[in-house]
Amino acid sequence: MPSRTVIVGSTSGLHARPAALFVAAAGAQPMPVTIRIGDKSPVPARSMLSVLSLGAKFGTEVTLEAEGDGADAALDELAGLLARNLDEDAPAASGG
C-alpha cells in the first residue's frame, strides 16, 4: 500500500483551518485516505473529528496511506499540503 510520511508544517498543527483544508482535500480524492501518528491506528482523512482526534501539533510526523488507481498522486498532493504552513496561507481580510 502506498504511503507518505510528512512533518506537519502548520504552526497550529492539524487544528481548525489547517485540518479543515486537509480534510476537504482528502475528501476530494478518488479513494479513501488514512492518516496516523506513529504506530497508532489510522483514521479516515475525510473525517474532521478523526483528524482532530490525532492531536497532531506542529512538527508531528504523520503517515498517509491510500490504495488504488491514483493513490501515489493523491498522497503526494496531501503530503505537500500538510508540509506547508497553512496558517500563513490564510487569505487576508478585505477592507471595503
Side-chain angles (χ1 to χ4, degrees), residues 7-93:
I7 304 295
V8 174
S10 290
T11 54
S12 67
L14 276 181
H15 298 283
R17 185 174 184 277
L21 292 172
F22 172 73
V23 168
Q29 301 307 317
M31 80 286 300
V33 177
T34 62
I35 182 171
R36 66 180 166 84
I37 295 175
D39 292 333
K40 294 183 181 177
S41 296
V43 300
R46 295 178 179 186
S47 167
M48 184 69 166
L49 288 177
S50 295
V51 170
L52 290 174
S53 75
L54 291 171
K57 296 177 174 41
F58 172 75
T60 300
E61 185 177 270
V62 297
T63 301
L64 304 172
E65 294 179 325
E67 194 164 1
D69 290 341
D72 285 313
L75 293 174
D76 288 342
E77 178 184 332
L78 294 172
L81 188 67
L82 285 179
R84 292 180 9 221
N85 184 357
L86 298 174
D87 295 306
E88 286 183 352
D89 293 347

